Amino acid sequence: MLWVKAFHIIAVICWFAALFYLPRLFVYHAMSEDETSRERFKIMERKLYRGISTPSMLATIVLGFWLVSYNIDYYEASAWFHAKLTLVALLVIYHFISGRMIRSFAADANTRSHVFYRWFNEVPVLMLIAIVILVVVRPF
């Protein structure tokens, strides 16, 4: 079980690293004015999303459910866990919204400003704070 927990934590860290960095790339991409920069950001965004973010998300989910399987009765009865699962579901939605934004940038169809992406970048930070508090403190 400790190996599963260790790899779950590693996957979570990798996923959040990607969720923190990808919107920063969007900020810089939205601010870029030359074609060379825009093309470079398209490549960076695609590789980060497909090569790190999505595999890390999948590993996080699979390993998380594997951990739950060790004591499913406890987790089913834990309100903090249901709140955490809700936040994880919202993060998965955020992940796929980011994927749509990548496709928008790839098609040169982005209409949002760098300011929007600066705010968008704060969402996973708030989610991380809430999830860590739920897991460690277990307030309810």
Side-chain angles (χ1 to χ4, degrees), residues 21 25 57 69 74 81 84 88 124 129:
Y21 189 51
L25 290 176
M57 176 192 67
S69 74
Y74 167 74
F81 181 71
K84 177 195 168 201
V88 171
I129 292 168

Side-chain angles (χ1 to χ4, degrees), residues 30-139:
M31 292 173 58
S32 64
E33 297 180 2
D34 62 286
E35 186 64 25
T36 303
S37 295
R38 285 192 292 271
E39 291 304 314
R40 183 176 302 120
F41 285 121
K42 288 176 188 179
I43 293 167
M44 292 170 69
E45 291 158 358
R46 185 185 74 245
K47 286 185 175 188
L48 178 61
Y49 187 77
R50 290 184 185 169
I52 297 172
S53 188
T54 300
S56 297
M57 176 192 67
L58 295 172
T60 296
I61 293 167
V62 168
L63 293 165
F65 280 112
W66 191 352
L67 282 172
V68 169
S69 74
Y70 288 117
N71 195 355
I72 196 160
D73 293 332
Y74 167 74
Y75 290 110
E76 284 179 346
S78 300
W80 69 266
F81 181 71
H82 292 278
K84 177 195 168 201
L85 276 183
T86 300
L87 292 174
V88 171
L90 291 172
L91 277 172
V92 170
I93 292 167
Y94 180 92
H95 176 93
F96 288 115
I97 289 170
S98 295
R100 287 183 57 207
M101 290 174 176
I102 289 170
R103 288 189 294 282
S104 175
F105 275 115
D108 296 318
N110 175 55
T111 58
R112 296 185 171 106
S113 74
H114 67 94
V115 175
F116 170 83
Y117 293 110
R118 289 178 195 277
W119 285 104
F120 184 73
N121 191 41
E122 301 307 318
V123 173
V125 174
L126 299 173
M127 297 283 210
L128 177 64
I129 292 168
I131 289 170
V132 169
I133 289 170
L134 286 168
V135 171
V136 174
V137 178
R138 297 180 184 180

Side-chain angles (χ1 to χ4, degrees), residues 12-38:
V12 168
I13 290 168
C14 292
W15 188 27
F16 269 97
L19 290 176
F20 291 157
Y21 189 51
L22 188 58
R24 291 306 306 168
L25 290 176
F26 294 160
V27 169
Y28 303 138
H29 195 159
M31 292 173 58
S32 64
E33 297 180 2
D34 62 286
E35 186 64 25
T36 303
S37 295
R38 285 192 292 271

